[in-house]
Every structure is written in structure tokens, then in C-alpha cells.
Amino acid sequence: MSRYDKLIRDFSDIHGKNPKRLLILSFIITIILGSGISLIKIEQGDDMSQLPNDIEEIQVFMKMEDKFERYNSIVIVINSENVFSPDILKEAYLLNQELMNVYGIEGSSFTLKLDEIYLSKEELKNRIEVSDSLGYMLIRLNVIKGVDNMKVYDDVKEIISKTTLNVQPGGDIAMGRELTDIILPEMSKISTFGMIGVLLCVILTFRSIRYGIMPLICVGVGIVWMMGISGFSGISLSSELVGVVSMMAGIGIDFAIQTINRYNLERTPIIIEKIVKTMEGVVEPIVVSSIVAGFGFIAMLTGSLSILDTMGKMLFIGVFSCMGVTLIFLPSFLVVQEKIFQDTKNLIKKKMEVYNEKD
């Protein structure tokens, strides 16, 4: 037996002889890493933030943007039959005053004063941005660059929700926020349907609800490890990268299915011997698969787009997180649940025998 094989066997023996200790260790690791999830920030990046900064054309464009476009903007659209109505203009003035008090907003296109709402139509057209039909009025708010655009937008939306005017927000910041609010629930729904589909397939494959649920538990723990390590590493997650979790679930569940399938193929009735043979058969392919996949994801770091850099880091962490869960958590979990299942089965069998003897 080579030194490598002996190392695998010793590691397998630990699972067979001390499964509860390793299971407790896995829970402790999961709790510690789970606390790192709260450190992950979900950022709404614009198109420019995804582009490389070392290209001359991009640098020139960013310099021009800094010089000539000092602000981001939120557009407020007011809808009315006649936006030049004094009542509408008064409400618009009061609304604009409240919006100007929001932190991060430095200017507004609505410069009309309260005593100027009775100006003539021609004068008002020169002062206010309106549609030709006079049914819409636009107020452009200048948002300072560098502030939290999403926080500013949320504050603006809270204010306009209280006005009596028919108001709708618009602009790039508003669109980014609304897209984020749409994407996150959609990804949650897609992940839920995906997990249900995977669960049904695994249950049908193993012909067992018990063994069908185990891969999903492993994937869940693996995702917690991945997100926790990412949080402690200071990785920020943008709305475009929410799908990384689903991608990781597809990769991680494969390790668990391989291990459980190999465990079920072992016919020895002795649990310790069964888990040792299982580990001897799956450790090497799982480790090699993780290393190969890890190198593939690390290669994404050579790309110039920041979204590829973040995705590569998270998937690299995710692959080895799922490997760790499969090699540390799953074998001990298999042993413990098998012992509980057998003890419960024997207990029920004894009670049935006692019940039959009484009859």
C-alpha cells in the first residue's frame, strides 16, 4: 500500500470510527463561515464598471466623463392634464424642496420659485421641461458621483410615494434598482424550481427519499461555505452574478451523488468497512475533479472584465467548498444516518415481534 493510499484509508477510518466528531466539526465550520455571508455586499454596477481600466480608449472616456459629467441623474416624471396648473406647480415645488434635502442630491432642473407659479405659459415653458401636450413635466435630479445611488433612489422613491401628484421615477439609477428588485426574486424562483427538479431526479435515481435529500443538504452546506468565504474575502456580488449560486449547485451536487452512489454499491453490512471502501473509491476522483475545475475557473482571472474576475474567484471557492463538504461532512453524515436508520428499524422490528407474541 502506497503512502497516498494509506493516508486515504486513515482519513476514511476517522469517518467510520468518529463520525459524530467530524459531523460536529462540520457544523462548527458551517456556523463560522455562515457568519461571513452578512459581509457580502450586493452592488449595482454600471456598464463602465465592468470594462477594463487599462485600455487607453476607456481611460480617455472616463476622464471626459469626470470632467463633463459630474453627476448621475434621477428623472421624476409628473403626469397631469395640465402641468401648468398653479396647484400642480405648487405641489411640484414642495416635492422638489423635499427631494433636494435627500443626501446625495446636489441639484435639480426645477428652479421655479413659489411666487413664480403664476407666470405666463411661454415663460413657464422656458423654465420647466414639459411635453408638447403639457401632460408631462420632468424634474432631473443631480446625484453626486460616489454616493450610494441605490440608497438615494430608495429615499427619493419614499418621498414621491407620499405626494398627491401622479409621479413616476426614471433614469439609469431607477432602472438599475428596479432590475435588481426583479432579478433577485426571479433567481430565487428559478433556484426553487431547479432544486425541486433536481430532488425529483435524485430520488428517482436512488429510489429513496432519504438518499435523495442528502445531495441537496450537501449543496446547501457547500453554498454556505462558498458565500461565507467570499464574504470574509471581501468579494462583492453584483446582480449579474446572482446566478453563480445556481451554477455552483449544479457542480456541487455531482460530488455528493458520486459519493452516495458508491456508498450504495458497497454490499458489506459493516458500516465502518462500507464507508472506508466508499472513501477509497471517491476521494481521488473528487480531488482531481476539483483541482481541474479550479484551474479552469482561475483562468477566468486572466480576463480583463471585472465580472469574469469575480465569477472566477467565487466559482473557484465554490468548487473547493463543495469538495470539502463532500469529504468532511457527507461521509460522517452517511454513517450517522445509517446507524440511526438501522437502530430505528431494529427497534420497530423488536416491538412488532413483542406485539405478535402477545397476540
Side-chain angles (χ1 to χ4, degrees):
M1 181 183 293
S2 67
R3 190 174 181 180
Y4 175 74
D5 293 333
K6 186 178 183 302
L7 184 64
I8 293 177
R9 187 169 186 83
D10 291 341
F11 180 68
S12 305
D13 285 337
I14 296 174
H15 280 291
K17 296 175 181 177
N18 301 295
K20 291 182 180 179
R21 291 182 181 179
L22 283 176
L23 204 57
I24 292 171
L25 176 63
S26 300
F27 285 139
I28 293 172
I29 294 173
T30 303
I31 292 170
I32 293 172
L33 293 180
S35 64
I37 297 177
S38 61
L39 302 177
I40 293 180
K41 294 182 179 179
I42 297 181
E43 298 179 346
Q44 178 60 45
D46 54 20
D47 294 335
M48 289 300 299
S49 66
Q50 307 297 338
L51 297 176
N53 296 325
D54 55 350
I55 297 178
E56 184 179 356
E57 289 81 357
I58 300 297
Q59 292 176 350
V60 172
F61 184 85
M62 293 179 72
K63 287 179 180 178
M64 292 176 63
E65 186 181 46
D66 291 338
K67 186 173 183 179
F68 297 105
E69 189 178 345
R70 295 173 53 203
Y71 305 102
N72 294 318
S73 64
I74 297 176
V75 179
I76 305 297
V77 182
I78 299 175
N79 181 18
S80 177
E81 292 182 1
N82 180 13
V83 293
F84 284 167
S85 166
D87 292 335
I88 299 297
L89 291 175
K90 182 179 179 180
E91 288 295 328
Y93 169 82
L94 296 174
L95 174 63
N96 186 68
Q97 291 299 111
E98 284 192 70
L99 293 173
M100 288 298 296
N101 291 326
V102 174
Y103 174 77
I105 294 180
E106 194 172 86
S108 169
S109 64
F110 189 92
T111 58
L112 206 65
K113 296 179 181 178
L114 192 58
D115 58 356
E116 296 176 331
I117 62 176
Y118 298 101
L119 293 175
S120 66
K121 184 182 293 186
E122 293 302 322
E123 289 179 303
L124 289 173
K125 280 186 177 182
N126 294 328
R127 299 285 300 277
I128 305 173
E129 193 172 353
V130 296
S131 64
D132 293 336
S133 64
L134 303 182
Y136 295 94
M137 179 196 306
L138 265 62
I139 300 177
R140 299 182 186 272
L141 303 174
N142 297 329
V143 181
I144 303 171
K145 289 191 175 182
V147 300
D148 187 347
N149 290 336
M150 298 301 105
K151 177 67 169 60
V152 174
Y153 175 72
D154 289 341
D155 292 341
V156 168
K157 196 170 182 181
E158 183 180 355
I159 290 173
I160 65 177
S161 66
K162 299 175 183 177
T163 183
T164 57
L165 297 172
N166 185 2
V167 181
Q168 293 294 333
D172 291 339
I173 295 176
M175 184 175 66
R177 181 59 170 179
E178 296 301 330
L179 281 175
T180 301
D181 291 341
I182 293 172
I183 288 172
L184 294 179
E186 284 297 311
M187 289 305 303
S188 176
K189 184 169 67 175
I190 291 170
S191 299
T192 301
F193 280 110
M195 285 297 181
I196 292 173
V198 170
L199 177 61
L200 292 175
C201 290
V202 177
I203 288 175
L204 291 174
T205 300
F206 291 125
R207 297 180 180 86
S208 168
I209 296 176
R210 179 164 53 110
Y211 288 119
I213 294 174
M214 282 186 200
L216 293 185
I217 295 175
C218 290
V219 168
V221 176
I223 289 173
V224 170
W225 287 23
M226 177 188 73
M227 299 298 284
I229 295 172
S230 299
F232 284 123
S233 302
I235 296 175
S236 297
L237 186 65
S238 66
S239 57
E240 293 88 351
L241 290 173
V242 177
V244 168
V245 175
S246 298
M247 294 169 63
M248 202 63 258
I251 296 171
I253 201 169
D254 182 56
F255 293 163
I257 290 174
Q258 287 184 45
T259 304
I260 295 171
N261 186 58
R262 181 59 184 260
Y263 180 80
N264 288 331
L265 290 175
E266 299 295 339
R267 296 304 178 188
T268 175
I270 304 172
I271 297 177
I272 295 178
E273 187 178 339
K274 192 173 183 179
I275 197 65
V276 168
K277 289 185 176 181
T278 298
M279 293 297 290
E280 288 177 345
V282 300
V283 168
E284 186 174 354
I286 287 176
V287 171
V288 172
S289 297
S290 300
I291 293 173
V292 172
F295 274 118
F297 294 135
I298 282 294
M300 297 174 70
L301 302 183
T302 61
S304 56
L305 297 179
S306 60
I307 189 172
L308 294 179
D309 182 86
T310 305
M311 184 182 292
K313 290 177 182 176
M314 290 196 70
L315 290 176
F316 177 81
I317 294 170
V319 165
F320 284 97
S321 295
C322 289
M323 182 194 77
V325 170
T326 305
L327 298 182
I328 298 174
F329 169 77
L330 181 56
S332 299
F333 187 53
L334 281 169
V335 173
V336 171
Q337 66 84 30
E338 188 71 24
K339 287 182 177 179
I340 293 173
F341 181 76
Q342 288 186 3
D343 291 344
T344 305
K345 188 177 179 181
N346 292 333
L347 181 63
I348 293 173
K349 187 177 180 181
K350 287 180 180 179
K351 286 187 176 182
M352 290 299 295
E353 288 176 353
V354 172
Y355 178 78
N356 291 331
E357 286 177 1
K358 288 182 179 180
D359 290 344

